[in-house]
Amino acid sequence: MKIVSVVGARPQFVKLAPIHKAAKAAGVEHVIVHTGQHYDPMLSDVFFEDLGIGAPDVHLGVGSGSHGVQTGAMLAALDAVFDEHRPDWVLVYGDTNSTVAAALSAVKMHIPVAHLEAGLRSFNRRMPEEHNRVMTDHAADLLLAPTEVAVDHLTSEGLAPRTVLVGDVMTDVLFEVRDEVAGRPSDLLAELGLEPGEYYLATIHRAENTDDPGRLRDVAAGLAGLDRPVILLAHPRVVAKAVAHGVALTQGSLIAHPPLAYPDLIAAALSSAGVVTDSGGLQKEAFLLRVPCTTVRTETEWVETVELGWNVLAGTAEEISAGASRPRPADTDEAPYGDGHAAERVIAELIRATDGTR
Ligand code: UD1
C-alpha cells in the first residue's frame, strides 16, 4: 500500500512524525510531500530533523502569499505529484491551506483522501482554518477524528458513515518527546536567566490577533502587564505584523524570542508557570503536560481542555491577566486525546479501508 502525506506548516510536521513511524512499522510505502507553506528552518527543517522524519520526498517550494495565490500554487503543483505517485491514499493533516489544496487536488483525481484531525469546529467563520477544515471534511473519503466531540460534529453534518475515531496523533509524539526531555532543564532558562515556574510561555500568530493593529497592540499590552516574565516565541507572522503596525513585542514583562525546536518547546512549556497562546496545538500540549493554559481567542476547537479546567478563553488584557494568574486547576485523569497510539490506528484504518474490509 502507498500513502502520500501532504504537509506544509509547522503543526503538520509534528503530526507527520508518528504517522511516518507507524507507516514504516507496518511496511507501508509513505511518500512525504512538503508544499513549502512554511520554509524558515525553525518552522520546518528542525522538525524533520528532531522528530526523525528524514527529508521530504517532494518539495513544492510554494512559499507565502495571499490565501488564493498560495492555495492555487499548491493545487497547480499537486496534480502532477499525485499523477506520478498514484497512491492508495492521500493523507491530509489539520486545517491549513496545504490541507485544503491537497484534498481538493486528490479528490478531483479520484484518489481516496483521508483527513487526519477531522471534525474540529470553532464555528467562527472569520477563521481561514474553519473554512479549510469544513471543506476538507466534506471532500474526504475517510475522516480520522481525534475526539468524541469531533465525531459528534461530523455526525451532525451527515458524515458519520465516513468517520472513525482514532485518537489524537499529537498525543503520540508529545508523550515521546516529554519522556525524552524529562529531567533535562530547558535551554531557554539558562539563556534568559529564568527560574523554573517563574515565567509564562506565550505564542501568538493567528490572523485575528495579529492583522488588526489595535488588536495586536491590546494583546501585546495584555502580555506585557503580566506578573512574571512572558517569553513570546514569535512566529514570523507576528514579527512582520508588529513591525508593520509599530507594536513592540518586547515591553514590560514581554520578551520576544525566536521560535523553538519541538523538544525545546516542550521542555520550556513543562517548566513554565503557564502557557498563553492562540495556537490549537499548544493548548492541547499544555493540557497533556498539565500546565495551565490561557487561550487568547473567543472560542476553541479543543473544548475538553476548557471543560476540564486546564484552559480558559481570554479576550481582553484583564482576562489574559486573570487567566494566567488563576490558581492551579484540579488534577484529572481524563484522557480525551487518546492513549498515545493514534498513529498506529490511522495506518490500520487506511489498510483496512484499502482492503475493502472496513
Ligand atoms: C499557518 C496556518 C495556521 C497554522 C499555522 C501554524 C493557514 C491559513 N494558516 O498560519 O492554521 O496554525 O500555519 O504555524 O494555512 N512566514 C515566514 N516564514 C515561513 C512561513 C511564514 O516568514 O516559513 C510569514 C510570512 O510573512 C507569511 C506569514 O508568515 O506571509 C503567514 O504564513 P502562512 O503560512 O500564510 O500562515 P501562518 O500564519 O503561518
Side-chain angles (χ1 to χ4, degrees):
M1 189 178 76
K2 185 175 188 177
I3 301 171
V4 169
S5 277
V6 181
V7 290
R10 179 169 56 176
Q12 295 169 329
F13 310 141
V14 176
K15 294 165 201 163
L16 174 68
I19 293 290
H20 188 56
K21 197 170 152 191
K24 273 201 302 196
V28 168
E29 187 181 352
H30 188 215
V31 177
I32 299 172
V33 179
H34 188 322
T35 62
Q37 177 169 352
H38 283 177
Y39 43 86
D40 282 351
M42 285 305 289
L43 291 193
S44 176
D45 303 14
V46 292
F47 292 85
F48 284 83
E49 288 156 18
D50 291 344
L51 300 176
I53 305 167
D57 299 286
V58 180
H59 200 298
L60 304 180
V62 160
S64 300
S66 67
H67 287 278
V69 166
Q70 187 179 57
T71 311
M74 293 172 191
L75 272 168
L78 282 167
D79 284 358
V81 175
F82 295 156
D83 203 30
E84 183 194 335
H85 287 281
R86 285 281 153 189
D88 296 292
W89 287 96
V90 166
L91 183 58
V92 299
Y93 299 64
D95 55 19
T96 74
N97 290 343
S98 299
T99 315
V100 74
L104 192 53
S105 172
V107 81
K108 290 204 172 196
M109 295 177 75
H110 309 296
I111 299 171
V113 179
H115 184 202
L116 186 76
E117 215 178 69
L120 294 187
R121 296 290 180 265
S122 67
F123 302 102
N124 177 354
R125 288 176 54 81
R126 299 281 308 161
M127 285 179 73
E129 293 84 359
E130 183 73 356
H131 299 292
N132 289 342
R133 55 172 89 99
V134 169
M135 286 190 282
T136 301
D137 280 339
H138 284 260
D141 302 278
L142 179 61
L143 300 171
L144 301 160
T147 61
E148 298 277 4
V149 170
V151 170
D152 292 346
H153 291 148
L154 293 167
T155 303
S156 71
E157 292 175 30
L159 299 174
R162 290 186 248 160
T163 298
V164 54
L165 177 63
V166 288
D168 192 326
V169 299
M170 266 185 116
T171 304
D172 303 13
V173 63
L174 189 269
F175 283 173
E176 264 196 49
V177 172
R178 178 197 60 190
D179 295 346
E180 273 166 37
V181 302
R184 189 203 316 161
S186 159
D187 292 344
L188 194 70
L189 273 70
E191 182 191 332
L192 298 177
L194 301 165
E195 291 298 322
E198 284 307 321
Y199 65 94
Y200 300 112
L201 196 69
T203 75
I204 296 292
H205 76 279
R206 286 199 184 271
E208 53 268 38
N209 283 327
T210 57
D211 290 10
D212 176 68
R215 177 65 192 154
L216 182 59
R217 193 164 291 117
D218 287 351
V219 171
L223 295 173
L226 293 185
D227 58 343
R228 294 181 171 95
V230 182
I231 314 307
L232 175 68
L233 302 175
H235 182 291
R237 181 189 192 103
V238 75
V239 173
K241 294 290 181 186
V243 170
H245 303 332
V247 175
L249 293 182
T250 295
Q251 53 163 306
S253 299
L254 185 59
I255 302 163
H257 187 280
L260 295 176
Y262 193 69
D264 298 335
L265 170 77
I266 299 309
L270 255 177
S271 38
S272 72
V275 161
V276 185
T277 189
D278 62 4
S279 151
L282 195 50
Q283 288 172 52
K284 220 176 359 163
E285 283 152 353
F287 170 75
L288 292 168
L289 297 170
R290 297 299 190 265
V291 173
C293 184
T294 302
T295 293
V296 186
R297 284 181 52 193
T298 46
E299 70 285 307
T300 178
E301 299 79 14
W302 304 108
V303 290
E304 304 84 357
T305 59
V306 173
E307 283 157 10
L308 292 167
W310 285 84
N311 192 9
V312 293
L313 300 174
T316 62
E318 293 72 32
E319 286 167 356
I320 293 173
S321 168
S325 58
R326 74 193 191 277
R328 188 177 166 80
D331 275 322
T332 174
D333 294 331
E334 295 285 328
Y337 304 117
D339 56 3
H341 295 282
E344 291 149 45
R345 265 178 233 119
V346 167
I347 299 299
E349 281 300 328
L350 291 175
I351 293 172
R352 216 190 328 270
T354 312
D355 294 346
T357 49
R358 209 178 157 255

